Amino acid sequence: MVERAKFREMKDGTKEDWAIIGAEYREFAKDLPDRVLDHLKLLDGDFGGFPVCRLEHSLQTATRAHRDGRDEQYVVMALLHDIGDTLGSYNHPEVGAAIIKPFVTEEVHWICQNHGAFQGYYYFHHLGMDRDRRENFRASPHFGACAEFCEKYDQAAFDPDYDSEPLEFFEPMVRRVMAKPLASMYAKAVEE
């Protein structure tokens, strides 16, 4: 039987209770890359009208970034940038950004969080929307980096004939990037 904390309200928790919870948390956190990769696989076969499925789009985006010499944080962001499509249909960039935030630099996080507005430059005008919505972010020091991500990797990743690396190629990168948070209020909780 798995040992559990004894409190009924958090305010009544003891050091022993939190030692139990902390140990469970550390074990659970180790499996985060597996859960993320499993969720990414949900994009397989989901075309949403696009020329390639959402998983292939993610693989193409990451492959293009990798082949262009981007570091692992960036490549993992490219792989996961649309992972929120299934749960955040109206805010998918924020979902992906929330997942990677503890593990990447501020710039890489910002790119993921805002790529939706930047990607819109290529199609918003076809939907009666403002294609220059990204101009609202012009003052950011990361504006150019996000525009480049969308131009070089994201908007270009819908080619059914592109030779993408398989998901298994990226798995070790995901595991390395997500091995330990760079910044998180819970970072100390995973220290043993």
Side-chain angles (χ1 to χ4, degrees), residues 106-152:
E106 178 185 331
E107 180 178 84
V108 170
H109 172 259
W110 198 96
I111 292 168
C112 190
Q113 185 173 24
N114 294 289
H115 81 271
F118 283 70
Q119 189 75 332
Y121 177 78
Y122 302 98
Y123 70 92
F124 279 177
H125 57 292
H126 295 298
L127 301 174
M129 299 169 63
D130 180 10
R131 77 181 297 188
D132 291 319
R133 183 179 180 116
R134 69 185 187 175
E135 290 304 318
N136 295 331
F137 301 95
R138 178 65 70 179
S140 170
H142 309 305
F143 181 95
C146 193
E148 180 181 47
F149 168 75
C150 288
E151 174 64 28
K152 291 177 80 171

Side-chain angles (χ1 to χ4, degrees), residues 22-182:
E24 291 290 322
Y25 179 82
R26 285 187 291 279
E27 284 304 308
F28 186 72
K30 288 178 186 176
D31 293 333
L32 178 61
D34 293 317
R35 290 190 301 277
V36 168
L37 290 164
D38 285 346
H39 192 85
L40 189 64
K41 291 173 188 174
L42 294 176
L43 302 178
D44 191 14
D46 179 1
F47 285 82
F50 289 98
V52 299
C53 74
R54 287 182 163 98
L55 177 59
E56 176 57 27
H57 167 69
S58 298
L59 294 171
Q60 277 190 38
T61 306
T63 299
R64 290 171 187 279
H66 173 71
R67 290 177 181 164
D68 200 29
R70 298 296 182 155
D71 67 24
E72 286 193 345
Q73 282 186 17
Y74 194 101
V75 172
V76 168
M77 177 274 295
L79 180 67
L80 301 179
H81 77 285
D82 282 347
I83 195 169
D85 280 347
T86 56
L87 295 173
S89 298
Y90 298 100
N91 68 331
H92 83 274
E94 290 90 353
V95 174
I99 292 169
I100 67 166
K101 184 176 182 176
F103 307 103
V104 298
T105 65
E106 178 185 331
E107 180 178 84
V108 170
H109 172 259
W110 198 96
I111 292 168
C112 190
Q113 185 173 24
N114 294 289
H115 81 271
F118 283 70
Q119 189 75 332
Y121 177 78
Y122 302 98
Y123 70 92
F124 279 177
H125 57 292
H126 295 298
L127 301 174
M129 299 169 63
D130 180 10
R131 77 181 297 188
D132 291 319
R133 183 179 180 116
R134 69 185 187 175
E135 290 304 318
N136 295 331
F137 301 95
R138 178 65 70 179
S140 170
H142 309 305
F143 181 95
C146 193
E148 180 181 47
F149 168 75
C150 288
E151 174 64 28
K152 291 177 80 171
Y153 311 121
D154 196 4
Q155 71 83 30
F158 295 96
D159 181 353
D161 298 319
Y162 187 77
D163 183 27
S164 299
E165 296 293 347
L167 183 56
E168 296 76 25
F169 177 84
F170 298 105
E171 284 185 27
M173 292 182 208
V174 171
R175 294 184 191 292
R176 284 189 294 269
V177 168
M178 294 186 145
K180 185 175 181 185
L182 302 176

